[in-house]
Amino acid sequence: MTMSDAAIYKGSHQVIPTVNPVYAQRRKFRVDGEHQVLWNLLDSVYDPELPGLTIWDLGVLQDVRKQDDTCIVVITPTYSGCPAVDTMKQDIISALNDAGYQQVKVEVALAPAWGTDMISPAGKQQLSSLHIAPPQEDDQPNCPVCGSSNTTVLSQFGSTACKALHQCRDCFEAFDYFKRI
Amino acid sequence: MNNTIKSNEQSPLYRFVLGLADDSVVLSHRLSEWCSNAPYLEEDIALSNIALDYVGRARMFYQYAAEVEGKGRSEDDLAYLRSEREFTNLLIHELPKGDFGFTMVRQFLLDAFYNLYLTQLVDSKDETIAAIAAKAIKETRYHLKRSEPWIRQLSEGTEESRSRIVRALEELKDFVGEMFLMEEWETSLVEQGIAIDRAALQPDWDRYIQGFLGESGIEFGDAQLQIRGGRNGIHTEHLGHMLSEMQYLQRTHPGMEW
Ligand SMILES: [Zn+2]
């Protein structure tokens, strides 16, 4: 874990962690990985329903291995019925094919079960910029438009299984909240 | 496809996983029947999303059941090309969706059940089952968080909404017992640390359900009957009708893909 994305300093000694251990572990796994070129190539694969959010940032990308000439990419779906998985698989294969890797296999792993703690800090930032409130410890998101904490839930499910629909009581904007699971 | 596979030729693990898959796919279909029919848009979306969670769960269990069976059948073969008598879901899942109150009461009873069940199933010695349970429990916890306030609101809402909750409970109570009745092949898997003793979950479930409903002054009486048979392929009249709709496309155009 590097200090730059793991913590911010408050005063001279106290360290407030801003990255949860689950993401930190993922990041270490990636940084220690043997195939940095492949990991980096896969940063061009995005979630089909969340523009600008890579499969790494979303926490879907779990591992990249090579077996002889075959690249094996391991992903874990967000929700068990997530319909975006097939598109992601295709996009992964295309991204690596385009870079000259002809043999690509995508494995969908059940474990570890995906959770919102796997989302990267950059991913959370990207969600905010899409006006989707990122997951919160207490499930009480701030309005992604005006920042107000005076928000209420309209529906526990939004446009996709991973989101709930909330509304800001100050600016009245209805917004998606990325549910914490 | 052979439609007359005798159940005693099937391994306990296959039957166990298949039962869980059937539970999920049947409930998923019942929930999906609300799509475009729910009381308002947000509810429509919510019920469809819960249906999606259950179809995802069904796919994982069917894929594993197909692998355990080892006869080259696919998840789609198991879901779409088996007959009514080969389905082994617990009966509560197949009852028609009824009105919104009925759907929410069933969901509440099941969410509470799965909350207890999956919490233990994550420790199964079978790694695949444990992994599926670990994914599913996260979704189920959320489902329960959604059905609780609905039951509270409808129970304490108008006289009409309350009477529908009471009626739904009345209609469901004879089907609750089956959730806690063990089959012998399942018991053998409990001994191996693979399955869960469902019977042992009943006291906690009862306490929770009665406690929750009690706060709204609703009593959930003891069942007069314990209607059972689902795990052995004996169903209510409703499943056949449901399957004829659910399986229509694959039966008419085998191998059809989106
Ligand atoms: Zn606002």
Side-chain angles (χ1 to χ4, degrees):
Chain A
M1 195 198 310
T2 60
M3 272 306 160
S4 62
D5 70 3
I8 53 167
Y9 284 90
K10 191 185 173 193
S12 51
H13 299 295
Q14 200 183 359
V15 176
I16 300 172
T18 56
V19 167
N20 62 67
V22 178
Y23 174 71
Q25 199 188 358
R26 267 190 86 220
R27 193 168 185 287
K28 180 170 180 356
F29 184 77
R30 170 173 176 162
V31 170
D32 292 346
E34 205 182 318
H35 306 290
Q36 291 303 312
V37 180
L38 297 177
W39 282 103
N40 293 338
L41 277 170
L42 291 170
D43 281 338
S44 68
V45 180
Y46 295 90
D47 181 287
E49 285 163 355
L50 297 164
L53 211 78
T54 68
I55 55 172
W56 164 259
D57 286 327
L58 186 58
V60 165
L61 180 58
Q62 294 290 326
D63 195 7
V64 184
R65 291 196 305 266
K66 279 195 90 170
Q67 201 170 53
D68 302 323
D69 283 341
T70 307
C71 304
I72 300 171
V73 179
V74 183
I75 59 173
T76 184
T78 52
Y79 285 76
S80 29
C82 180
V85 170
D86 290 332
T87 314
M88 289 181 195
K89 271 187 182 172
Q90 280 310 317
D91 293 349
I92 289 168
I93 293 169
S94 307
L96 295 183
N97 283 168
D98 290 351
Y101 298 90
Q102 291 313 310
Q103 318 266 20
V104 182
K105 222 172 96 185
V106 182
E107 286 176 6
V108 179
L110 295 175
W114 180 85
T116 34
D117 283 350
M118 290 179 180
I119 300 176
S120 73
K124 288 181 183 167
Q125 219 153 47
Q126 180 61 17
L127 285 172
S128 295
S129 71
L130 293 169
H131 283 183
I132 299 169
Q136 299 298 320
E137 210 56 60
D138 56 0
D139 272 329
Q140 305 276 321
N142 290 349
C143 171
V145 178
C146 76
S148 166
S149 60
N150 187 14
T151 63
T152 180
V153 59
L154 287 182
S155 171
Q156 276 121 331
F157 286 91
S159 52
T160 61
C162 52
K163 291 176 242 146
L165 193 61
H166 286 240
Q167 188 173 30
C168 177
R169 281 174 162 148
D170 285 330
C171 75
F172 299 110
E173 182 77 2
F175 62 90
D176 270 333
Y177 164 58
F178 209 94
K179 285 152 30 181
R180 180 171 184 274
I181 70 162
Chain B
M1 198 191 77
N2 185 355
N3 261 328
T4 55
I5 301 164
K6 292 204 185 65
S7 48
N8 58 13
E9 292 169 12
Q10 299 170 339
S11 77
L13 182 60
Y14 172 72
R15 294 185 80 177
F16 175 61
V17 178
L18 190 68
L20 296 175
D22 288 343
D23 288 342
S24 298
V25 86
V26 169
L27 183 65
S28 169
H29 190 86
R30 285 305 186 202
L31 288 165
S32 76
E33 289 173 341
W34 281 103
C35 189
S36 80
N37 291 310
Y40 54 90
L41 185 62
E42 283 77 13
E43 257 326 293
D44 208 292
I45 293 170
L47 289 168
S48 303
N49 270 303
I50 298 171
L52 202 58
D53 284 344
Y54 274 95
V55 90
R57 199 178 293 188
R59 288 191 62 185
M60 293 188 284
F61 281 127
Y62 277 134
Q63 283 167 8
Y64 187 45
E67 187 188 320
V68 170
E69 189 192 34
K71 289 183 181 165
R73 290 207 276 183
S74 70
E75 52 176 311
D76 283 352
D77 294 337
L78 293 176
Y80 295 119
L81 300 177
R82 282 180 309 135
S83 67
E84 180 191 350
R85 289 295 300 272
E86 292 170 286
F87 267 75
T88 57
N89 57 285
L90 299 172
L91 301 174
I92 188 170
H93 300 91
E94 75 195 40
L95 301 174
K97 74 182 199 304
D99 60 15
F100 183 70
F102 182 89
T103 284
M104 286 319 298
V105 169
R106 165 172 50 199
Q107 199 57 41
F108 171 64
L109 300 180
L110 285 173
D111 288 344
F113 171 76
Y114 282 123
N115 211 39
L116 295 168
Y117 183 74
L118 294 170
T119 300
Q120 293 200 10
L121 198 63
V122 297
D123 294 325
S124 171
K125 283 189 180 147
D126 182 300
E127 276 179 22
T128 307
I129 293 172
I132 297 170
K135 272 197 97 58
I137 184 64
K138 292 185 170 205
E139 294 162 4
T140 278
R141 284 196 194 111
Y142 194 76
H143 298 166
L144 183 62
K145 251 169 70 181
R146 203 189 88 83
S147 46
E148 276 183 347
W150 260 125
I151 297 303
R152 184 70 75 221
Q153 189 180 339
L154 295 172
S155 302
E156 299 180 7
T158 62
E159 226 169 273
E160 174 73 20
S161 71
R162 186 184 179 86
S163 73
R164 293 201 190 196
I165 294 300
V166 171
R167 191 171 69 206
L169 286 166
E170 192 62 30
E171 283 167 10
L172 281 158
K173 75 175 187 203
D174 293 341
F175 292 93
V176 160
E178 195 192 25
M179 298 197 292
F180 305 102
L181 289 174
M182 293 291 284
E183 302 294 341
E184 68 198 66
W185 68 85
E186 205 177 351
T187 306
S188 75
L189 292 174
V190 172
E191 286 154 14
Q192 298 166 49
I194 292 172
I196 300 306
D197 182 4
R198 289 184 283 129
L201 302 176
Q202 189 157 19
D204 280 346
W205 185 87
D206 277 343
R207 204 171 309 125
Y208 165 76
I209 295 290
Q210 279 167 10
F212 188 89
L213 294 173
E215 282 175 39
S216 295
I218 290 179
E219 212 180 304
F220 190 34
D222 285 340
Q224 304 300 308
L225 290 167
Q226 277 188 334
I227 302 175
R228 74 183 301 186
R231 283 280 188 261
N232 291 294
I234 315 290
H235 293 277
T236 66
E237 64 179 294
H238 308 293
L239 183 69
H241 294 288
M242 196 202 95
L243 290 180
S244 68
E245 193 173 306
M246 189 181 101
Q247 299 182 332
Y248 165 78
L249 197 67
Q250 282 301 322
R251 298 268 194 191
T252 317
H253 305 283
M256 180 84 164
E257 281 181 34
W258 287 108

